[in-house]
Structures are given as structure tokens and as C-alpha cells.
């Protein structure tokens, strides 16, 4: 019986060692996958920031164009509502 208890202890230690080894090897695999995913996320973040800057620039240009239109709108309305001049001659 002494030999059987010793064999059980050895077998349980071996089982624990196998589980730990499998767990650590899985962590290494996940570590590589996380690194790949993080790299992709960084690339996407860079693209999103570039798109946001482009959108902000386009928004500013549109606001400037609207201000110029507002500036000439009054003149256009005055010209449209002004009485017609009679031609000379």
C-alpha cells in the first residue's frame, strides 16, 4: 500500500505539472494573438485619428464658405429687389 500511495502522489504531481505546462503554453499563444490584435487596433486608431482630422478640416472649410456666402447674401438680395433702371438713349 505504501507503494500505491507514493504512486498516487507522483501521478497527481505529474498531472498538476501537465496542467500548468498546458496553461503556460496557452498563455504564450494568447500573448502572441493579443500582440497581433493590439497592433491592428493601433493601426485602426491611427486611421481614425487621420479621418477625424480630415473631417475637422473639411468642417472648418465649410464654415468659412458659409461665412463668405452670408457676407454676400445681403448684396444679392438688394440687387434682386432694386428697381430696374431704364436704359439710356
Amino acid at each position: 500500500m505504501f507503494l500505491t500511495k507514493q504512486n498516487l502522489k507522483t501521478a497527481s504531481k505529474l498531472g498538476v505539472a501537465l496542467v500548468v505546462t498546458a496553461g503556460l503554453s496557452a498563455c504564450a499563444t494568447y500573448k502572441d494573438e493579443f500582440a497581433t490584435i493590439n497592433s491592428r487596433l493601433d493601426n485602426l486608431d491611427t486611421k481614425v485619428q487621420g479621418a477625424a482630422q480630415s473631417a475637422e478640416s473639411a468642417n472648418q472649410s465649410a464654415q468659412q464658405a458659409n461665412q463668405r456666402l452670408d457676407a454676400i447674401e445681403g448684396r444679392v438680395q438688394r440687387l434682386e429687389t432694386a428697381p430696374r433702371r431704364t436704359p439710356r438713349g
Side-chain angles (χ1 to χ4, degrees):
M1 250 195 166
F2 178 72
L3 193 56
T4 305
K5 284 185 180 181
Q6 188 177 10
N7 286 343
L8 285 175
K9 284 182 182 180
T10 304
S12 66
K13 287 180 184 177
L14 182 60
V16 169
L18 287 173
V19 169
V20 169
T21 302
L24 290 177
S25 67
C27 287
T29 302
Y30 287 132
K31 190 175 184 179
D32 293 341
E33 289 178 16
F34 284 136
T36 303
I37 291 169
N38 284 337
S39 175
R40 288 180 184 171
L41 289 174
D42 289 342
N43 288 337
L44 284 174
D45 187 43
T46 301
K47 289 179 183 178
V48 167
Q49 287 178 357
Q53 288 174 350
S54 295
E56 181 63 30
S57 176
N59 187 30
Q60 288 175 356
S61 295
Q63 286 177 350
Q64 289 173 352
N66 283 337
Q67 288 172 351
R68 283 181 268 162
L69 285 173
D70 290 342
I72 65 169
E73 183 180 2
R75 284 188 270 165
V76 170
Q77 286 179 356
R78 280 194 304 271
L79 289 172
E80 287 177 343
T81 59
R84 285 217 170 283
R85 294 199 268 172
T86 56
R88 293 183 205 172

